[in-house]
Amino acid sequence: MTERPLWTPSAERVAQSNLRRFTAAINPRLESYADIHRFSVNEPEVFWSALWDFCAVKAETRGARVLIDGNKMPGARFFPGAR
């Protein structure tokens, strides 16, 4: 038995989504959720830094480091110097 999603967004809704705007800003070749996920896993510092910028995170400082102990899950620390 093949499961089908209960709902699928229209192409117009997908094109106007924040996720599509984000991926277009960082890498227009990221077309599918699998592409985005793979990028976030393979390039975590680039991905999270770009997400910080895209979301316009308000902070006193971002800090010098994006990721410490990225190979430890749990235990990785993102933006440890952010305030």
Side-chain angles (χ1 to χ4, degrees):
M1 178 171 136
T2 303
E3 293 186 34
R4 294 186 346 229
L6 296 175
W7 174 80
T8 302
S10 67
E12 180 182 9
R13 190 166 186 157
V14 169
Q16 294 174 356
S17 70
N18 286 331
L19 183 58
R20 180 55 53 208
R21 287 185 326 121
F22 171 63
T23 56
I26 62 168
N27 186 339
R29 292 177 291 166
L30 300 174
E31 296 182 2
S32 69
Y33 181 81
D35 292 338
I36 298 162
H37 179 259
R38 187 172 22 263
F39 178 71
S40 73
V41 170
N42 292 339
E43 301 285 340
E45 292 186 45
V46 174
F47 176 85
W48 288 104
S49 181
L51 189 63
W52 176 291
D53 294 339
F54 180 80
C55 294
V57 173
K58 294 182 185 339
E60 182 178 307
T61 182
R62 176 166 153 158
R65 303 279 309 265
V66 173
L67 177 62
I68 293 176
D69 294 330
N71 60 335
K72 296 180 181 175
M73 293 291 177
R77 295 184 308 150
F78 291 88
F79 304 103
R83 302 284 177 260

